[in-house]
Structures are given as structure tokens and as C-alpha cells.
Amino acid sequence: MQIDLPVVWAAIIGLGVFIYVMLDGFDLGIGLLFPFFEEKGDRQVMLNTIAPVWDGNETFLVLGGAGLYGAFPVVYSTLLPANYLPLILMVVGLIFRGAAFELRGKAVRTQHAWDLAFMGGSALAGLCQGIVLGSLLQGIRIVDGRFAGGPFDWLSPFSLFCGIGVLTTYAALGCGWLILKTDGELQRKMREVMRPLVSVLLGVMAVVSLWTVIGLPAVAHRWFGSGNLGWFLPVPVLVIVCVWGIFRSLRLRHEATPFLLTLALCFLGYSGLLISIWPNIVPPSLTIWEASSSHSSQLFTLVGTVIVLPVILVYNVMQYRVFRGKVREGDAGYH
């Protein structure tokens, strides 16, 4: 029996994108939380929680881009021209954030400027990622395997709202991460911030879900007209359960549960996205099979991925294991 390589590659890329959102999401979220904490000590502890891992988190963004190029070149050649400006701005934001992360600790007079660069870069990167997601959901015009839209098709109220949704998601992830990794007064402040963040996140998820169902007939048919609603219904139900669990864990002062349940919320939102567009990889009409490269190309790149991907996963697991535990102000090894 021949393996359906487009499905395999769709799963690999989907996994890579989700791991990127999960990992880089919380360290981008820390940049979004910076404006609420002006004490230099608090900010340094927040940065120290991600100092050993933040650059490794972005490995999975490279994996997703390289996978698209090798396995689904039509997607690569249509998604990029449809979103050139937000993607370029996203890279600019990541560059500013990375530079600020490395240089703020060495700066004296200009540290505040690097803090602004860290906050602005994190916000710009997260916003642009949400805009690209929104443009993908609302559909990209493709004719004969080429992008046939305009340079600003990505700019719409829906895509901008998706950008705000991604920022809220990342901020909630960052807050949950800091509850896990800090203690004392900083942890207490994070618990206070987490409650309104999760409430806003639930509202954003509800609005995006209704907007896609009402505004995109293909998505509405996928959820309600395909006869699979019974299979899909657990997703919104589990979202409510997770939000309830987060509020309960905050009240009971659990440390790991808020972060884990926020990750679960991200997974459920991601699942809803996949349900809405499957089997299209570029809505409204380009399926994973139509966008695939040749069988030999996909097989060749799969061999390399099977070798490299476990190494990347093991490396990431080990770095979190080595740097597990609480981070406190003045800890050795972070300066």
C-alpha cells in the first residue's frame, strides 16, 4: 500500500506550526506583558525565564517554511506573494526582538529604548502572524497555480481581528508560563493579569468562530452541512471546560495548570482551524493533493525530515528539562 505523502507532509507541517505557536507564543507573550511591569527586576526575571530556550523555539518556524517549500511549492509561491508585507514586517519584528533581547542587558543609558524594541518587535511579529492567519482563512485568490489577487488583499477587518486574537493568545501563554516559572509578588501579579486575559481570549475565539461561520459559507458547510457536527462538537465544549479549569486553578493557586490549560486552548483553536479548511491547504479551493510536489521530491525530503526532526524534538525537550524549575531575581547563570 502506497503512503499518502501529501497527508504525511500536511501532518508534519501542521505539527511544526503548532509547536512553534506553543513555544514561541509564550516568549512573544512575555514581550507583550512587559508594559504592565515597569520594575527592572521584574523585567529581568521575565526575560531570564526564556533566556535559555527562546532562540530554539523558532526552529519550528523554519521547519514549517522549509516543509512548505519542499512538499507544497504551490502554497509557498502563492501564500508569500499574497502576504509579502505582513511577512516582511513579521521578520522585522523578530529581528528587533532578538536584537533587543541580546543587547538590553549590555546597555546602560539605552536600556529603555531596547525594552521598547523588545515590546514593539514582539507585538509586531504576533500581529502579523495573526493577519496572515486571517488572510488564509478568508481565502486567497489563485488562478492556474498562481496568486491572482492584489497586494493588499490580506488587509481586512477580519484579518486585523485575527491579529488581535493572536496577540491575546500569546499574552495568555506568556502569563501562564510566568506563573509556572516565577514565585512571590511577580507570580501574584501574573495571576491577576491572567484572569482578564483568558476572558478576552474566550471572547476573541467566540467572535472569530462566529465570523468565519457567518462570513465564509464553505466553513459553515464544513461544520454544519457535512453531517460531522457530532464529531466536531467536542471542540467548543472543551474550550469552555478549559477556561473554567484555568479560573479554578488560579483560584486554587495551582502553578502548572493555567499554562497547560492555555496550551490546550491553543490546541483546540488550532483544531478548529484545521476542521474549517481541511482538506484545503490554501482556502477556498487548493487541496493538499493539488498543491503537492512530485512523489519523489516529497519522499526525498521526508527521509531527511525523519532523521532531523527527532533530533530537534529531543534537543528541545532536553533544554526545557535542564532549565526546569523556578527563576528568581539574582539567580546565577543569567547574566
Side-chain angles (χ1 to χ4, degrees):
M1 183 179 66
Q2 190 177 35
I3 299 174
D4 194 343
L5 288 180
V7 174
V8 173
W9 266 109
I12 291 172
I13 293 171
L15 175 65
V17 170
F18 175 71
I19 295 177
Y20 170 76
V21 169
M22 181 176 66
L23 298 183
D24 208 36
F26 70 75
D27 66 49
L28 283 168
I30 287 175
L32 300 175
L33 293 170
F34 246 46
F36 300 99
F37 300 90
E38 296 185 359
E39 292 291 330
K40 295 179 70 172
D42 287 344
R43 288 187 171 183
Q44 190 59 55
V45 171
M46 292 165 71
L47 286 176
N48 288 349
T49 65
I50 59 171
V53 299
W54 73 273
D55 48 355
N57 293 341
E58 296 180 351
T59 305
F60 293 95
L61 182 63
V62 178
L63 173 66
L68 279 181
Y69 184 79
F72 301 106
V74 175
V75 178
Y76 198 87
S77 64
T78 56
L79 188 61
L80 264 66
N83 293 277
Y84 270 141
L85 186 56
L87 287 172
I88 290 171
L89 290 175
M90 179 194 76
V91 173
V92 170
L94 292 175
I95 291 171
F96 268 88
R97 183 184 71 124
F101 194 100
E102 299 293 342
L103 295 175
R104 72 174 298 278
K106 300 175 178 64
V108 179
R109 290 178 299 176
T110 59
Q111 188 176 80
H112 181 66
W114 287 117
D115 282 348
L116 291 176
F118 183 69
M119 291 183 280
S122 300
L124 182 61
L127 178 66
C128 290
Q129 288 173 13
I131 287 173
V132 173
L133 171 64
S135 75
L136 181 67
L137 267 176
Q138 70 189 13
I140 295 174
R141 200 183 318 164
I142 299 174
V143 177
D144 297 328
R146 297 176 180 271
F147 173 61
F152 294 99
D153 283 3
W154 53 269
L155 185 59
S156 69
F158 178 73
S159 64
L160 291 174
F161 189 82
C162 287
I164 295 171
V166 168
L167 290 178
T168 307
T169 303
Y170 287 174
L173 281 171
C175 200
W177 171 256
L178 290 170
I179 291 172
L180 173 65
K181 296 291 289 183
T182 64
D183 55 14
E185 183 65 14
L186 181 57
Q187 187 189 63
R188 186 192 66 78
K189 292 177 182 177
M190 288 299 166
R191 293 186 192 278
E192 293 180 355
V193 174
M194 187 72 169
R195 290 184 177 90
L197 268 179
V198 172
S199 299
V200 173
L201 178 57
L202 177 62
V204 166
M205 293 177 74
V207 171
V208 171
S209 300
L210 288 173
W211 201 329
T212 53
V213 168
I214 294 173
L216 304 173
V219 174
H221 175 76
R222 178 68 177 164
W223 279 85
F224 301 106
S226 62
N228 294 317
L229 182 61
W231 294 100
F232 301 156
L233 195 59
V235 173
V237 173
L238 288 174
V239 166
I240 301 298
V241 172
C242 285
V243 171
W244 173 82
I246 291 171
F247 284 123
R248 183 175 182 274
S249 65
L250 290 172
R251 188 175 68 253
L252 297 176
R253 298 187 177 278
H254 293 169
E255 296 192 333
T257 308
F259 180 59
L260 295 176
L261 288 178
T262 307
L263 289 177
L265 272 180
C266 291
F267 174 76
L268 292 168
Y270 194 63
S271 300
L273 166 67
L274 295 180
I275 289 171
S276 298
I277 68 174
W278 181 263
N280 294 325
I281 192 168
V282 179
S285 59
L286 187 65
T287 69
I288 60 172
W289 298 280
E290 294 170 336
S292 295
S293 59
S294 66
H295 180 84
S296 59
S297 295
Q298 289 194 341
L299 185 60
F300 177 78
T301 50
L302 181 62
V303 172
T305 303
V306 168
I307 297 171
V308 173
L309 184 56
V311 176
I312 297 173
L313 292 172
V314 170
Y315 168 80
N316 276 268
V317 170
M318 288 302 298
Q319 70 175 352
Y320 283 97
R321 178 175 173 78
V322 169
F323 294 99
R324 65 190 182 276
K326 295 291 185 179
V327 177
R328 299 175 178 88
E329 188 173 359
D331 281 352
Y334 292 98
H335 302 285

PDB file of all heavy atoms in Angstrom, residues 203-216:
ATOM      1  N   GLY A 203     -13.580  35.473  24.497  1.00  0.00           N
ATOM      2  CA  GLY A 203     -14.409  36.317  23.645  1.00  0.00           C
ATOM      3  C   GLY A 203     -13.889  36.391  22.226  1.00  0.00           C
ATOM      4  O   GLY A 203     -14.664  36.329  21.259  1.00  0.00           O
ATOM      5  N   VAL A 204     -12.570  36.498  22.074  1.00  0.00           N
ATOM      6  CA  VAL A 204     -11.969  36.556  20.739  1.00  0.00           C
ATOM      7  C   VAL A 204     -12.220  35.256  19.980  1.00  0.00           C
ATOM      8  O   VAL A 204     -12.578  35.278  18.787  1.00  0.00           O
ATOM      9  CB  VAL A 204     -10.458  36.834  20.851  1.00  0.00           C
ATOM     10  CG1 VAL A 204      -9.762  36.569  19.520  1.00  0.00           C
ATOM     11  CG2 VAL A 204     -10.216  38.273  21.278  1.00  0.00           C
ATOM     12  N   MET A 205     -12.057  34.128  20.652  1.00  0.00           N
ATOM     13  CA  MET A 205     -12.296  32.840  19.998  1.00  0.00           C
ATOM     14  C   MET A 205     -13.748  32.713  19.552  1.00  0.00           C
ATOM     15  O   MET A 205     -14.032  32.203  18.462  1.00  0.00           O
ATOM     16  CB  MET A 205     -11.922  31.695  20.938  1.00  0.00           C
ATOM     17  CG  MET A 205     -10.444  31.594  21.243  1.00  0.00           C
ATOM     18  SD  MET A 205     -10.008  30.290  22.414  1.00  0.00           S
ATOM     19  CE  MET A 205     -10.214  28.830  21.368  1.00  0.00           C
ATOM     20  N   ALA A 206     -14.672  33.201  20.384  1.00  0.00           N
ATOM     21  CA  ALA A 206     -16.090  33.141  20.027  1.00  0.00           C
ATOM     22  C   ALA A 206     -16.395  34.019  18.813  1.00  0.00           C
ATOM     23  O   ALA A 206     -17.111  33.609  17.884  1.00  0.00           O
ATOM     24  CB  ALA A 206     -16.944  33.571  21.219  1.00  0.00           C
ATOM     25  N   VAL A 207     -15.822  35.234  18.794  1.00  0.00           N
ATOM     26  CA  VAL A 207     -16.073  36.157  17.684  1.00  0.00           C
ATOM     27  C   VAL A 207     -15.496  35.606  16.386  1.00  0.00           C
ATOM     28  O   VAL A 207     -16.163  35.625  15.338  1.00  0.00           O
ATOM     29  CB  VAL A 207     -15.490  37.550  17.994  1.00  0.00           C
ATOM     30  CG1 VAL A 207     -15.549  38.439  16.761  1.00  0.00           C
ATOM     31  CG2 VAL A 207     -16.261  38.200  19.134  1.00  0.00           C
ATOM     32  N   VAL A 208     -14.266  35.104  16.417  1.00  0.00           N
ATOM     33  CA  VAL A 208     -13.646  34.552  15.209  1.00  0.00           C
ATOM     34  C   VAL A 208     -14.439  33.360  14.698  1.00  0.00           C
ATOM     35  O   VAL A 208     -14.670  33.212  13.485  1.00  0.00           O
ATOM     36  CB  VAL A 208     -12.182  34.151  15.491  1.00  0.00           C
ATOM     37  CG1 VAL A 208     -11.610  33.365  14.310  1.00  0.00           C
ATOM     38  CG2 VAL A 208     -11.330  35.396  15.736  1.00  0.00           C
ATOM     39  N   SER A 209     -14.901  32.509  15.611  1.00  0.00           N
ATOM     40  CA  SER A 209     -15.682  31.340  15.204  1.00  0.00           C
ATOM     41  C   SER A 209     -16.981  31.754  14.527  1.00  0.00           C
ATOM     42  O   SER A 209     -17.333  31.233  13.454  1.00  0.00           O
ATOM     43  CB  SER A 209     -15.984  30.457  16.426  1.00  0.00           C
ATOM     44  OG  SER A 209     -14.795  30.001  17.035  1.00  0.00           O
ATOM     45  N   LEU A 210     -17.700  32.698  15.125  1.00  0.00           N
ATOM     46  CA  LEU A 210     -18.962  33.163  14.536  1.00  0.00           C
ATOM     47  C   LEU A 210     -18.709  33.888  13.214  1.00  0.00           C
ATOM     48  O   LEU A 210     -19.463  33.723  12.243  1.00  0.00           O
ATOM     49  CB  LEU A 210     -19.681  34.091  15.516  1.00  0.00           C
ATOM     50  CG  LEU A 210     -20.292  33.424  16.751  1.00  0.00           C
ATOM     51  CD1 LEU A 210     -20.835  34.468  17.721  1.00  0.00           C
ATOM     52  CD2 LEU A 210     -21.402  32.457  16.349  1.00  0.00           C
ATOM     53  N   TRP A 211     -17.663  34.676  13.168  1.00  0.00           N
ATOM     54  CA  TRP A 211     -17.328  35.451  11.966  1.00  0.00           C
ATOM     55  C   TRP A 211     -17.046  34.510  10.795  1.00  0.00           C
ATOM     56  O   TRP A 211     -17.518  34.743   9.665  1.00  0.00           O
ATOM     57  CB  TRP A 211     -16.118  36.319  12.244  1.00  0.00           C
ATOM     58  CG  TRP A 211     -15.952  37.506  11.324  1.00  0.00           C
ATOM     59  CD1 TRP A 211     -16.335  37.596  10.015  1.00  0.00           C
ATOM     60  CD2 TRP A 211     -15.371  38.767  11.658  1.00  0.00           C
ATOM     61  NE1 TRP A 211     -16.005  38.831   9.501  1.00  0.00           N
ATOM     62  CE2 TRP A 211     -15.423  39.567  10.494  1.00  0.00           C
ATOM     63  CE3 TRP A 211     -14.792  39.279  12.818  1.00  0.00           C
ATOM     64  CZ2 TRP A 211     -14.916  40.861  10.479  1.00  0.00           C
ATOM     65  CZ3 TRP A 211     -14.296  40.577  12.789  1.00  0.00           C
ATOM     66  CH2 TRP A 211     -14.362  41.355  11.639  1.00  0.00           C
ATOM     67  N   THR A 212     -16.271  33.448  11.048  1.00  0.00           N
ATOM     68  CA  THR A 212     -15.955  32.523   9.961  1.00  0.00           C
ATOM     69  C   THR A 212     -17.189  31.755   9.512  1.00  0.00           C
ATOM     70  O   THR A 212     -17.384  31.527   8.314  1.00  0.00           O
ATOM     71  CB  THR A 212     -14.866  31.531  10.402  1.00  0.00           C
ATOM     72  OG1 THR A 212     -15.262  30.893  11.623  1.00  0.00           O
ATOM     73  CG2 THR A 212     -13.546  32.219  10.604  1.00  0.00           C
ATOM     74  N   VAL A 213     -18.023  31.351  10.450  1.00  0.00           N
ATOM     75  CA  VAL A 213     -19.222  30.592  10.090  1.00  0.00           C
ATOM     76  C   VAL A 213     -20.206  31.454   9.314  1.00  0.00           C
ATOM     77  O   VAL A 213     -20.803  31.020   8.311  1.00  0.00           O
ATOM     78  CB  VAL A 213     -19.879  30.005  11.358  1.00  0.00           C
ATOM     79  CG1 VAL A 213     -21.272  29.472  11.046  1.00  0.00           C
ATOM     80  CG2 VAL A 213     -19.012  28.890  11.934  1.00  0.00           C
ATOM     81  N   ILE A 214     -20.389  32.709   9.766  1.00  0.00           N
ATOM     82  CA  ILE A 214     -21.359  33.596   9.109  1.00  0.00           C
ATOM     83  C   ILE A 214     -20.815  34.143   7.792  1.00  0.00           C
ATOM     84  O   ILE A 214     -21.534  34.228   6.792  1.00  0.00           O
ATOM     85  CB  ILE A 214     -21.736  34.753  10.059  1.00  0.00           C
ATOM     86  CG1 ILE A 214     -22.484  34.210  11.277  1.00  0.00           C
ATOM     87  CG2 ILE A 214     -22.591  35.793   9.328  1.00  0.00           C
ATOM     88  CD1 ILE A 214     -22.741  35.248  12.354  1.00  0.00           C
ATOM     89  N   GLY A 215     -19.531  34.505   7.786  1.00  0.00           N
ATOM     90  CA  GLY A 215     -18.971  35.172   6.614  1.00  0.00           C
ATOM     91  C   GLY A 215     -18.379  34.270   5.559  1.00  0.00           C
ATOM     92  O   GLY A 215     -18.168  34.704   4.420  1.00  0.00           O
ATOM     93  N   LEU A 216     -18.109  33.014   5.901  1.00  0.00           N
ATOM     94  CA  LEU A 216     -17.480  32.096   4.958  1.00  0.00           C
ATOM     95  C   LEU A 216     -18.357  30.869   4.784  1.00  0.00           C
ATOM     96  O   LEU A 216     -18.343  29.958   5.618  1.00  0.00           O
ATOM     97  CB  LEU A 216     -16.081  31.694   5.456  1.00  0.00           C
ATOM     98  CG  LEU A 216     -15.103  32.850   5.729  1.00  0.00           C
ATOM     99  CD1 LEU A 216     -13.833  32.339   6.380  1.00  0.00           C
ATOM    100  CD2 LEU A 216     -14.790  33.586   4.433  1.00  0.00           C
TER     101      LEU A 216
END
